[in-house]
Amino acid sequence: MNPTIKDVAQKANVSIATVSRVLNNLSGYSDKTKQKVNEAIKEIGYQPNAIARGLINKRTQTIGVMFPSVSGAFSSDLLKGIEELANDRNYSVMVCNTDQDGKRTLKYLQLLREKQVDGIIFSSEVLKKEYYDVLETMRIPVVLVSSQTEFAKVPYVKVDDYRAAFDAILYLISKGHRKIAMISGNPSDLIAGSPRAEGYKHALEANGIPFDSRYLAYGDFLYESGSIAMETLLEQAPDVTAVFAASDEMAIGALSTVIKNGLSVPEDISIMGYDDLGLAKMVIPPLTTVRQPLYDIGKIAVEKLIQMIETGESVNSQIVDHTIVERQTVRSLT
């Protein structure tokens, strides 16, 4: 027969209640007692029964995480922070790939409902009314990551995308650049597309540089689109001296296109990204970029979600600071 919690208690010479408190990370025991219980668990091979535990505390200790794409470095960096803190708090993570246009979102919400997850982290996608209605019927908390909403019950964790893009352009202007192009996300994307493009335009205007539509190209935040957009910019704005891309992946795609066209970075064209993914310091030359602390954002989101799960109380949204990371892809013209 499989060992039980009673067997652990007998082996460690403590009460069943103490073993339960150790298993659920509750207080009320010494470090020595915790060590005894963990040694007993290991020695007799006890496996906590998640189903039974869920019946007691009405929880499955599982969090659903929804991404439009799980293959990109952006999602990977976020997920590291999410999984690390969730694991520290004894929660498992179930990751769902909703696809770029969210066509699988409702399907996965139903799946997470059937799996009885305790809460959901909803990343990089607009929380539509139809999604919110489903979440309301599920009666579980949700936290948005790199997104925001007007629904009062739903907190979010993100950087200020408009301000971050504005500051990126100010940085390029401070380096003497005035012919500055941008590779933006889709303008219909209200989360990371239009706010970053607006930050770009307004930073130019604030510094007496008229906006020129030839200097604005569009992509989908991924490498290939950045490469294609850079080809477009080289054709329609050959005098550009600096390019700000709305994601590191697009910036790296742009960098590769510049080099393929016999130009060099930053001597001929300066390039600046957005995110500060691990890839940013691996490319040659290393990418200057706007850092949004994705790992930290993931941890903050889980902390807020677990607080909502375990207390039933609402939490506040949080705007996380961005920073500019200087590397070697931006040249000073002054």
Side-chain angles (χ1 to χ4, degrees):
M1 292 179 63
N2 293 327
T4 66
I5 192 170
K6 183 177 180 181
D7 297 325
V8 175
Q10 289 176 344
K11 182 71 177 177
N13 196 27
V14 298
S15 68
I16 292 174
T18 296
V19 175
S20 178
R21 296 184 76 80
V22 171
L23 288 171
N24 289 288
N25 272 347
L26 301 175
S27 58
Y29 51 83
S30 66
D31 289 340
K32 184 177 179 181
T33 297
K34 181 178 180 179
Q35 184 178 350
K36 281 168 56 180
V37 170
N38 286 330
E39 286 175 354
I41 288 170
K42 186 175 180 181
E43 195 170 326
I44 69 174
Y46 171 70
Q47 292 289 330
N49 188 322
I51 296 173
R53 196 163 59 194
L55 290 172
I56 295 169
N57 61 21
K58 302 293 191 296
R59 298 194 206 114
T60 60
Q61 299 295 118
T62 306
I63 292 169
V65 181
M66 305 180 75
F67 286 115
S69 170
V70 296
S71 60
F74 176 90
S75 298
S76 174
D77 285 8
L78 263 178
L79 195 55
K80 285 178 187 174
I82 290 170
E83 288 190 313
E84 181 164 310
L85 188 62
N87 182 65
D88 288 347
R89 298 289 296 273
N90 287 331
Y91 281 79
S92 298
V93 174
M94 183 180 297
V95 180
C96 301
N97 181 359
T98 60
D99 210 354
Q100 287 293 338
D101 59 0
K103 59 189 175 187
R104 294 199 289 256
T105 300
L106 286 173
K107 169 189 166 186
Y108 276 122
L109 282 174
Q110 183 58 37
L111 174 67
L112 294 175
R113 182 178 196 165
E114 292 169 2
K115 297 294 183 182
Q116 297 184 315
V117 298
D118 299 323
I120 293 174
I121 290 177
F122 197 89
S123 172
S124 308
E125 189 181 348
V126 174
L127 183 62
K128 297 177 183 176
K129 178 70 163 57
E130 58 186 317
Y131 304 158
Y132 179 73
D133 289 343
V134 173
L135 290 165
E136 279 282 272
T137 63
M138 292 170 72
R139 298 181 181 277
I140 60 170
V142 59
V143 174
L144 302 187
V145 167
S146 296
S147 180
Q148 65 186 94
T149 182
E150 297 303 317
F151 295 117
K153 296 180 184 177
V154 183
Y156 53 84
V157 183
K158 66 187 296 293
V159 298
D160 183 336
D161 289 278
Y162 170 87
R163 187 72 231 185
F166 190 98
D167 288 348
I169 303 308
L170 290 188
Y171 170 79
L172 292 172
I173 292 171
S174 76
K175 296 295 183 181
H177 294 277
R178 294 185 67 82
K179 296 177 180 179
I180 303 168
M182 180 180 183
I183 301 175
S184 171
N186 192 315
S188 66
D189 174 1
L190 302 180
I191 302 302
S194 58
R196 295 178 195 178
E198 288 304 304
Y200 160 72
K201 292 175 185 177
H202 291 164
L204 293 177
E205 292 168 7
N207 287 272
I209 304 172
F211 167 68
D212 186 333
S213 60
R214 293 177 304 144
Y215 283 71
L216 183 57
Y218 297 97
D220 62 6
F221 298 103
L222 301 180
Y223 173 91
E224 188 67 29
S225 71
S227 179
I228 294 169
M230 191 67 229
E231 290 282 5
T232 301
L233 289 173
L234 289 174
E235 289 174 11
Q236 64 188 27
D239 58 343
V240 66
T241 66
V243 176
F244 168 57
S247 75
D248 283 351
E249 288 200 42
M250 290 198 299
I252 294 167
L255 190 153
S256 70
T257 291
V258 169
I259 292 170
K260 285 175 188 173
N261 279 271
L263 302 172
S264 62
V265 176
E267 287 77 11
D268 295 310
I269 297 179
S270 293
I271 293 179
M272 187 171 183
Y274 188 113
D275 287 330
D276 195 29
L277 304 177
L279 292 170
K281 44 182 171 269
M282 298 179 193
V283 293
I284 300 174
L287 185 68
T288 294
T289 187
V290 178
R291 180 176 187 264
Q292 55 171 333
L294 298 172
Y295 175 84
D296 295 336
I297 287 172
K299 291 185 75 170
I300 293 168
V302 172
E303 188 68 58
K304 288 182 179 295
L305 187 66
I306 292 175
Q307 183 179 339
M308 294 169 75
I309 291 168
E310 297 185 350
T311 67
E313 299 173 356
S314 60
V315 300
N316 293 326
S317 297
Q318 185 170 341
I319 297 293
V320 181
D321 290 340
H322 62 273
T323 52
I324 290 175
V325 180
E326 292 188 277
R327 294 197 178 97
Q328 297 172 28
T329 56
V330 174
R331 180 168 79 97
S332 177
L333 300 184
T334 57

